[in-house]
Amino acid sequence: MLVRLQAEQERLLAALAEVADEDALYQLQVAYLGKKGSITALSKELGRVSPDERKRLGAELNRAKAAITEALEGRREALLAEARARDLARVEDLTMPPRRPPFGTLHPLTIARRALIQTFRRMGFDVAEGPHVEHANYNFDALNFQPDHPARDMQDTFGVRDRRGAGDLVLRTHTSPVQIRAMLQRTPPVRIIAPGTVFRCDDDATHSPMFHQIEGLYVDRGVTMADLKATMIQFTAAFFGRALDIRLRPSYFPFVEPGAELDMQCPFCGRARGQTCSVCKGAGWIELGGSGMVHPAVFEAVGVDPEVYTGWAFGFGIDRMAMLMYQIPDLRQMFDGDIRFLQSFPG
Amino acid sequence: MRISWQWLTSLLDLPEAARPSAEGLAAILTSVGLEVDGIERVGEGVQAIIVGEIRGKEPHPRADRLTVVALFDGAETLQVVCGAQNLPPVGGKVAFAPVGARLPNGMEIGAREVRGVASNGMICSETELDIGTDDDGILILPESWPAGARLCDQVPGIVDAILEIGVTPNRPDALGHVGVARDVAVKLQCGLRLPELRAPEVPTEPSLVTIDAPARCGRYLGFVVDGVEVGPSPLWMRVRLHRLGLRAINNCVDITNFVLFEQGQPLHAFDRRRLAEGRVVVRMAGASEPFDALDGSKHELSADDLVIADASIPQALAGVMGGARSMVEAGTSELLLEVAWFQPSGIRASARRHALSSDSSYRFERGVDHGEGLDRAALRALQLLGELAGGTCRAKAEGRGEVPARPRIVLRLARVHHLLGMPVGPAEALRILQGLGVEVEHAEPVTPWTCVAPSHRPDLQREVDLIEELMRFHGLDDLPAEATVPSAPADERPDPRADLRDRLTDALREVGLHELVAYAFTHPDKLRPFLGPGGEAAIVHLQNPLRVPLSVMRTHLIPDLLDALEVNVARHSHPLRLFQVGRVYAWRSEVGEAGAIDPRRAADLEVIDALLPEEREEAAILLHGGEAEDARAAVGALVHALARLGYQPRVEPFAADARVAFLHPGVQARIGVRVDDPSAPVAWVGYAGELHPDALVGRELGGRGRAYVGVIDLGKLPPRPTPIASDRPRFPATSRDLSLEIPLGIAASAVVDALALAAAGLCADVTGDRPRLAGDGISPGIEVVEEYRGQGVAEGRRALLLRLHYRAEERTLTDAEVQELHQAIVASACGGLSRPDAEVRVR
């Protein structure tokens, strides 16, 4: 029996050298130590020998089992080490084109509009919207554009072809009719911004028949032009990360009096180091838009007493802001849907 | 409007040295709201031009059209070759560019030979000097000018700077140099230096002027001027007009233009001999009365046009343009000079009606001075006609109609502070107002003041207008930045509609789509494939489109996406994944009547808005050209986006009679959402599929035809549900596969529904911890794994592999009980799905 045990042990060691993977190792383990394994079979024979013999053989058997187990474990570890070494020897070129899920993009106008809305919301402005097809009354008359006054020529207007009973309709030429709607629906204080699409009958490299504006309106007791200036400075600080100076220049818009052009200190100077700023052409100022104190005639049109309340309004172009932010050279690129343009704003 | 720096500064009562430079003037103008868009330097190089005297002329020996001139430059006589045919006789004076001069057009003058004859300098034309447009020969100067004198000393103001200013429509007074100078003088705190004028002492002949339309003509001054000799204007005036962009015509016409640009008041001179009875009648035109304008255009007048007629026919469209018949030209000797104020909106209507616009109508429609300025302009014109055209005023007449009253305005200085947030003191305020011509009554240091606005400032109507004037001249540079605190907080709640739009936009971007923003107007033909029966009537048409391709408001977003697709296909071959969120427009079928609605009343806003077209907000996607793109990808993008918003998306086939006509009939589905449990009703919010080939007709897609689209109507989306943390089952689920063979007409969604329904029925009244489908709030526990068509499956049928998941609450299930339930569900579902014409088999 001892001879057989020795033979089995030697056979195993020989077989072990041939084993190349975990599976074969397991097979071998089963073949020797398993329920029907050869060593197990030998240990079953122990019952048939004398007690003395059994004690001696039992000890031998246990030693053999331990040796076999150790050999198997040794081989297992060696196999693992080999596998690990093989695995670590693998080479993959990760500079090959990466596999990546495609990402979508937001339109630069959406990015700019959201950034503006977010900024003004933080400053306590509510967001209001209005229809694109608008009553001429709200687009002009209520905003103190007198009928048949040349001020109406300031904005080239798309009329909407007549429809029974609908009255005089236009595509809104500015977001200012939202001022009227907001003041009709709310009582002061009114503190809103109105971002939105507007339309003018104009089409060249710097004008698009459709563009986007953001309007601000603040009506309360004691609102002054000084407050407008402070608010716009606060806006630049929140939007551009640093307070920029604001310059007001007298101008004319029928729905404000006094009216002023709104200039902002150029936030982009220094973007191109050492060169003349390409945005403001070295002027140091950027024309932002129009502004002024709400005209008493506008207050009267919506039933607000101009002796009690004062207010300011401003408006500027979202498209222009986006063009400045992203150095977009031509307004028309924004609208033709070329994917190569759209993709450039991971936003 | 072009402003001559020379002309403007000459109107300021300032010593020469104190006059502002062109840049200084530009800064002043911009600061008072007359924004300067640009400064153009003119006359550079003219300093080198001198007066030359012709001393002799010889024909060029080798060229017929050239002359060899002996020209005296004040010091010596030079030989100059000249090609002009209008050389004056010996003794005549010409503009001479000596060797070394550089002309305004950049030409350098050198000594050279012209066909073998030496030429030392050049005799110049108006155009070469850029002081006129006459290039038909050389410029001939008055014989009295001394040879050798510099041209710029003979014609002061020839070297100038032209400022282009943007005059806002409320400022008709700034459409002349005197009006602009008035603002500058107030800013510089100096006076004006205006030409001294004298009224001619001539008899009044009332019959000269008759006003039959007093509502449309407030004042009409007529003067008879005779002895006029029509000829060219002096050089200084021709240069001045040229600088302002006007063509010199003859002295009479030039004078009217000159006065227009000086005083801002349009004038018109008629050849009086061509006027029937030599008089004018200001009247409304007869309907269809013909009128020939002096620019050669012919018009049929309307009864709403104001005309200046003679005793029989219209001789001018009032305030817009004179007539061809009575225009002043060579041979005219007697004028009737018109200086008038017309009602502005009437002029504007006529100019628009006849598409005739002139420097005159531009000013009349904004409102010229009906007071003193009108008289001053008349006297200035008479003075110049006397000096430059030999005319003498013989008679005058004035007709009067209605002019606007000069408003009396109460001004409170405290209100200035109240509105601007900075004070303007009484002394400064008074100086500004009086400088502008506002009469201030009882100008005590304490306001209110009663102010009377001048007739040249029709824009000054109420207190704020005066406050604006104070702001303009006080300036905004020292305006403090002082924020006030709102007396009540703003509404902080985000608008749920805007929130939904933003989130959907983000979700569509997240599935790898690129956002498009396209014009909201389009070509009607592009909408046609998308319109249902009667859809044409709902299209909103523009009255005055830029061009037909942009003439109607879009009713669908897909045409925009197809436009972008065409653009991209034409330019490159990248696959396209686009989306757009925007409004679509359609007239409502039910239209009320505006009737007696008052737009000023908040309560009527809703009624009034019901008259507007409906503006629905939609999201649309388009997939094209990518390897992985198909209609299921389109459905997937929308379903993903909706799930991302917290909805439970649902995809079903359309009923046969409810299909979307512009989608492929066999490749389309409707998409809905549920907000609560799977049994809640579905809100159908959109659809997706492959575009019908008919909808692509006329589109240039380079042979790469199929496009997959999807649309969600944002207005149909229910409010977003609040997410609820889902249960985490403690015991694992086990699954059973099911392969069904079904006809193509049965949708996977129907199979899943049938299985879910069967499971619900079988598990409904079972008590205890029995196995059930392992569904949760999102999925019913039934998974569609794949479909198979082809060999082994009959034509028109397919095999569908499904996986059903089972679970119990508090224990692990046994195979036997799962198998039992599974078989029961399958049997029941197949029974439910099978119809006489549709066999369902378990494979």
Side-chain angles (χ1 to χ4, degrees):
Chain A
M1 190 170 159
L2 257 177
V3 177
R4 276 194 289 148
L5 184 60
Q6 207 129 32
E8 286 297 314
Q9 216 173 327
E10 276 162 24
R11 208 158 56 85
L12 171 91
L13 287 174
L16 214 49
E18 304 290 308
V19 165
D21 60 39
E22 187 94 5
D23 267 3
L25 192 69
Y26 181 71
Q27 297 298 324
L28 212 57
Q29 185 173 354
V30 171
Y32 287 81
L33 299 178
K35 270 185 189 167
K36 294 173 184 169
S38 54
I39 303 296
T40 316
L42 280 177
S43 60
K44 282 177 185 162
E45 288 178 25
L46 275 184
R48 279 181 273 142
V49 298
S50 67
D52 280 359
E53 192 79 334
R54 190 186 304 160
K55 192 174 178 185
R56 195 177 58 84
L57 282 177
E60 281 296 325
L61 206 58
N62 280 341
R63 201 165 43 246
K65 268 189 190 172
I68 289 170
T69 306
E70 194 182 334
L72 283 167
E73 278 310 308
R75 187 62 190 146
R76 176 167 290 128
E77 273 168 32
L79 279 177
L80 281 174
E82 272 171 40
R84 183 177 142 83
R86 259 200 317 278
D87 185 46
L88 289 177
R90 257 186 323 114
V91 173
E92 267 187 50
D93 180 3
L94 296 189
T95 69
M96 291 290 283
R99 286 186 230 293
R100 46 179 257 204
F103 65 75
T105 51
L106 295 181
H107 197 279
L109 281 171
T110 302
I111 303 172
R113 189 189 65 237
R114 287 184 176 185
L116 291 168
I117 290 176
Q118 202 183 18
T119 305
F120 281 110
R121 284 196 74 90
R122 281 204 302 268
M123 292 167 63
F125 285 82
D126 197 11
V127 183
E129 296 185 1
H132 295 171
V133 180
E134 183 57 283
H135 301 283
N137 187 291
Y138 291 154
N139 195 74
F140 291 123
D141 303 43
L143 288 164
N144 195 35
F145 284 80
Q146 305 296 327
D148 265 323
H149 190 272
R152 292 218 177 188
D153 299 341
M154 290 169 85
Q155 304 179 348
D156 295 318
T157 311
F158 284 115
V160 169
R161 207 188 282 171
D162 221 17
R163 162 125 160 160
R164 172 178 56 90
D168 194 4
L169 305 184
V170 298
L171 296 191
R172 68 176 180 191
T173 54
H174 46 188
T175 41
S176 307
V178 182
Q179 287 187 20
I180 300 297
R181 292 172 169 275
M183 285 192 279
L184 281 173
Q185 286 166 328
R186 306 161 191 229
T187 48
V190 176
R191 193 169 164 88
I192 57 155
I193 51 162
T197 311
V198 300
F199 305 87
R200 290 193 198 168
C201 204
D202 211 349
D203 196 7
D204 59 44
T206 55
H207 296 91
S208 156
M210 183 184 102
F211 58 103
H212 302 80
Q213 279 187 340
I214 186 163
E215 185 99 0
L217 174 72
Y218 176 31
V219 177
D220 203 346
R221 289 168 202 266
V223 174
T224 65
M225 202 130 181
D227 180 86
L228 168 66
K229 187 172 177 181
T231 305
M232 293 317 289
I233 291 173
Q234 203 185 334
F235 158 72
T236 61
F239 193 76
F240 294 103
R242 64 194 167 107
L244 300 168
D245 204 4
I246 287 290
R247 184 172 73 176
L248 295 166
R249 283 182 291 118
S251 188
Y252 169 73
F253 308 95
F255 42 102
V256 286
E257 188 84 13
E261 295 277 359
L262 196 58
D263 295 348
M264 163 181 80
Q265 193 192 333
C266 177
F268 307 104
C269 282
R271 188 158 67 176
R273 225 169 265 254
Q275 289 168 16
T276 307
C277 175
S278 64
V279 178
C280 67
K281 310 275 181 277
W285 294 94
I286 291 182
E287 262 188 57
L288 200 57
S291 66
M293 302 303 293
V294 178
H295 199 291
V298 174
F299 278 143
E300 284 154 11
V302 293
V304 171
D305 184 351
E307 282 295 307
V308 177
Y309 292 102
T310 51
W312 51 246
F314 69 81
F316 60 84
I318 300 177
D319 311 60
R320 201 173 123 71
M321 194 57 91
M323 289 173 79
L324 293 175
M325 285 163 66
Y326 301 114
Q327 307 184 41
I328 299 168
D330 184 345
L331 180 57
R332 287 176 292 195
Q333 281 186 3
M334 299 252 228
F335 304 113
D336 74 358
D338 191 320
I339 193 88
R340 295 167 301 177
F341 171 81
L342 299 176
Q343 274 171 342
S344 40
F345 306 97
Chain B
M1 151 113 182
R2 287 163 75 84
I3 290 289
S4 153
W5 166 71
Q6 288 274 13
W7 195 354
L8 194 101
T9 50
S10 75
L11 294 168
L12 299 173
D13 192 10
L14 284 175
E16 190 89 30
R19 290 185 184 177
S21 65
E23 287 72 20
L25 182 62
I28 291 167
L29 291 174
T30 296
S31 80
V32 298
L34 298 169
E35 190 176 352
V36 175
D37 296 328
I39 303 177
E40 184 192 340
R41 304 258 159 212
V42 291
E44 298 294 336
V46 170
Q47 293 97 329
I49 309 301
I50 56 172
V51 178
E53 182 181 333
I54 309 284
R55 286 276 167 92
K57 296 199 286 188
E58 296 288 338
H60 192 286
R62 286 196 261 162
D64 290 349
R65 299 185 62 79
L66 296 180
T67 310
V68 180
V69 179
L71 185 129
F72 179 62
D73 70 357
E76 55 182 327
T77 303
L78 302 166
Q79 177 174 290
V80 180
V81 177
C82 180
Q85 302 306 299
N86 66 333
L87 271 171
V90 170
K93 301 284 170 52
V94 292
F96 176 62
V99 170
R102 190 189 165 89
L103 300 186
N105 63 11
M107 182 196 268
E108 301 253 14
I109 305 300
R112 59 193 189 113
E113 283 201 351
V114 182
R115 305 195 71 174
V117 176
S119 180
N120 302 297
M122 187 172 113
I123 301 174
C124 303
S125 71
E126 277 183 17
T127 37
E128 281 156 347
L129 298 177
D130 189 28
I131 54 170
T133 52
D134 183 2
D135 55 3
D136 195 18
I138 54 163
L139 172 63
I140 295 167
L141 302 176
E143 281 190 22
S144 59
W145 290 5
R150 296 201 308 168
L151 187 65
C152 60
D153 294 333
Q154 298 300 310
V155 187
I158 199 167
V159 180
D160 201 350
I162 303 299
L163 284 66
E164 183 69 47
I165 63 170
V167 179
T168 52
N170 59 325
R171 292 293 307 277
D173 66 299
L175 294 170
H177 280 68
V178 169
V180 175
R182 191 182 295 114
D183 270 13
V184 177
V186 172
K187 187 73 183 179
L188 291 178
Q189 305 192 31
C190 68
L192 285 176
R193 186 189 295 156
L194 300 178
E196 272 181 39
L197 301 171
R198 210 167 42 78
E201 287 173 13
V202 291
T204 299
E205 268 181 43
S207 66
L208 273 177
V209 175
T210 311
I211 296 187
D212 278 353
R216 296 283 292 271
C217 177
R219 286 186 74 193
Y220 194 107
L221 308 183
F223 301 89
V224 175
V225 180
D226 71 4
V228 166
E229 275 179 55
V230 174
S233 302
L235 188 57
W236 66 265
M237 181 178 275
R238 299 209 307 271
V239 170
R240 191 141 274 181
L241 293 176
H242 177 71
R243 295 295 189 223
L244 300 178
L246 289 168
R247 200 163 55 87
I249 294 170
N250 60 46
N251 50 6
C252 295
V253 175
D254 292 352
I255 285 166
T256 60
N257 282 330
F258 181 87
V259 174
L260 179 144
F261 276 92
E262 184 181 76
Q263 307 285 335
Q265 168 68 46
L267 312 170
H268 186 66
F270 297 94
D271 183 337
R272 190 173 176 228
R273 302 247 161 103
R274 309 261 186 90
L275 298 178
E277 298 178 18
R279 64 187 184 95
V280 292
V281 180
V282 186
R283 62 163 169 87
M284 303 312 294
S288 304
E289 202 170 5
F291 170 67
D292 296 349
L294 54 73
D295 69 350
S297 60
K298 294 183 182 302
H299 303 271
E300 191 171 292
L301 299 177
S302 128
D304 203 34
D305 287 323
L306 184 71
V307 295
I308 314 302
D310 57 16
S312 58
I313 61 164
Q315 294 289 353
L317 182 57
V320 182
M321 198 168 283
R325 237 184 89 82
S326 54
M327 67 190 245
V328 175
E329 54 196 355
T332 300
S333 63
E334 187 176 356
L335 307 180
L336 193 145
L337 180 71
E338 160 194 303
V339 189
W341 187 90
F342 301 114
Q343 197 270 327
S345 62
I347 300 300
R348 182 174 139 93
S350 283
R352 286 164 77 93
R353 187 177 304 125
H354 299 288
L356 271 183
S357 174
S358 62
D359 284 329
S360 297
S361 67
Y362 192 79
R363 285 162 177 76
F364 280 124
E365 68 182 32
R366 282 161 173 73
V368 300
D369 192 351
H370 51 76
E372 222 179 293
L374 196 74
D375 301 295
R376 222 170 28 235
L379 299 186
R380 178 64 165 152
L382 292 175
Q383 178 189 50
L384 289 169
L385 283 170
E387 284 172 12
L388 307 178
T392 310
C393 184
R394 295 289 178 211
K396 63 177 183 189
E398 176 170 0
R400 279 186 177 270
E402 298 158 20
V403 292
R406 291 169 60 190
R408 298 169 67 82
I409 306 165
V410 173
L411 173 68
R412 299 159 291 176
L413 279 187
R415 191 76 189 163
V416 180
H417 198 165
H418 186 71
L419 208 58
L420 300 181
M422 66 174 179
V424 176
E428 186 186 9
L430 197 62
R431 178 181 67 73
I432 292 169
L433 294 175
Q434 289 177 337
L436 291 170
V438 176
E439 288 167 25
V440 182
E441 294 173 7
H442 313 297
E444 313 292 331
V446 182
T447 55
W449 292 336
T450 300
C451 303
V452 184
S455 53
H456 60 264
R457 287 297 301 271
D459 59 320
L460 303 184
Q461 293 291 330
R462 50 199 295 175
E463 188 180 30
V464 273
D465 300 323
L466 296 181
I467 293 174
E468 178 173 67
E469 294 308 294
L470 298 181
M471 177 198 87
R472 284 204 303 130
F473 292 99
H474 178 85
L476 282 165
D477 294 342
D478 56 352
L479 181 70
E482 282 172 0
T484 54
V485 178
S487 62
D491 187 355
E492 293 287 338
R493 288 164 304 172
D495 171 23
R497 280 289 129 202
D499 182 54
L500 209 52
R501 178 204 308 145
D502 281 352
R503 286 173 188 272
L504 185 63
T505 303
D506 284 334
L508 290 169
R509 175 184 85 135
E510 205 172 81
V511 293
L513 298 163
H514 301 282
E515 191 189 9
L516 165 78
V517 174
Y519 288 157
F521 16 63
T522 186
H523 194 294
D525 288 350
K526 288 180 177 171
L527 296 179
R528 211 144 282 140
F530 298 88
L531 298 171
E536 296 263 351
I539 296 180
V540 178
H541 288 262
L542 299 186
Q543 221 166 48
N544 53 333
L546 279 168
R547 42 189 182 272
V548 177
L550 304 177
S551 64
V552 298
M553 302 306 284
R554 64 186 174 206
T555 56
H556 292 76
L557 295 179
I558 296 175
D560 286 354
L561 294 165
L562 293 177
D563 284 349
L565 174 59
E566 278 187 289
V567 164
N568 283 282
V569 164
R571 294 181 186 173
H572 55 75
S573 58
H574 303 316
L576 213 58
R577 294 171 63 82
L578 289 177
F579 79 101
Q580 177 169 226
V581 178
R583 297 190 193 178
V584 295
Y585 310 80
W587 289 113
R588 291 165 221 266
S589 45
E590 298 290 319
V591 172
E593 288 288 331
I597 290 164
D598 178 3
R600 291 169 184 226
R601 275 185 36 202
D604 286 343
L605 199 57
E606 227 167 274
V607 186
I608 247 186
D609 280 357
L611 302 171
L612 295 175
E614 188 183 16
E615 298 183 14
R616 279 187 306 113
E617 213 162 11
E618 289 190 346
I621 67 167
L622 175 128
L623 309 178
H624 179 266
E627 277 170 28
E629 310 302 15
D630 59 15
R632 268 177 74 192
V635 172
L638 294 187
V639 162
H640 179 100
L642 291 169
R644 192 71 184 71
L645 263 64
Y647 297 114
Q648 296 159 29
R650 168 98 195 145
V651 183
E652 270 184 22
F654 278 106
D657 57 353
R659 287 199 188 111
V660 180
F662 53 85
L663 294 180
H664 186 297
V667 190
Q668 56 173 280
R670 59 175 175 163
I671 295 173
V673 296
R674 278 193 284 235
V675 289
D676 286 319
D677 58 296
S679 58
V682 176
W684 295 106
V685 299
Y687 50 83
E690 181 179 325
L691 214 53
H692 197 290
D694 290 353
L696 291 170
V697 167
R699 298 282 188 175
E700 291 291 335
L701 299 182
R704 292 179 290 143
R706 294 182 190 197
Y708 308 99
V709 297
V711 173
I712 291 174
D713 182 339
L714 271 70
K716 289 185 178 154
L717 283 173
R720 245 161 44 81
T722 308
I724 296 167
S726 63
D727 287 342
R728 293 174 302 169
R730 292 200 296 155
F731 290 84
T734 183
S735 66
R736 289 290 178 280
D737 282 1
L738 167 65
S739 181
L740 288 179
E741 196 199 294
I742 54 173
L744 290 178
I746 296 182
S749 65
V751 174
V752 171
D753 284 352
L755 289 165
L757 186 69
L762 286 164
C763 300
D765 355 304
V766 179
T767 55
D769 193 7
R770 305 290 302 162
R772 46 187 79 228
L773 274 178
D776 53 31
I778 294 165
S779 112
I782 305 164
E783 207 182 322
V784 180
V785 181
E786 61 182 17
E787 70 160 5
Y788 172 77
R789 304 182 202 190
Q791 206 172 14
V793 179
E795 181 76 20
R797 295 175 68 80
R798 60 174 173 163
L800 201 63
L801 178 64
L802 301 115
R803 188 163 297 148
L804 285 73
H805 300 270
Y806 297 95
R807 176 189 292 128
E809 295 291 315
E810 297 293 337
R811 63 195 180 86
T812 306
L813 293 175
T814 66
D815 281 354
E817 58 186 346
V818 169
Q819 196 58 30
E820 186 191 347
L821 175 60
H822 181 68
Q823 280 170 355
I825 289 175
V826 170
S828 163
C830 288
L833 283 169
S834 289
R835 294 187 298 272
D837 59 332
E839 187 202 357
V840 172
R841 287 198 296 117
V842 178
R843 272 160 62 95

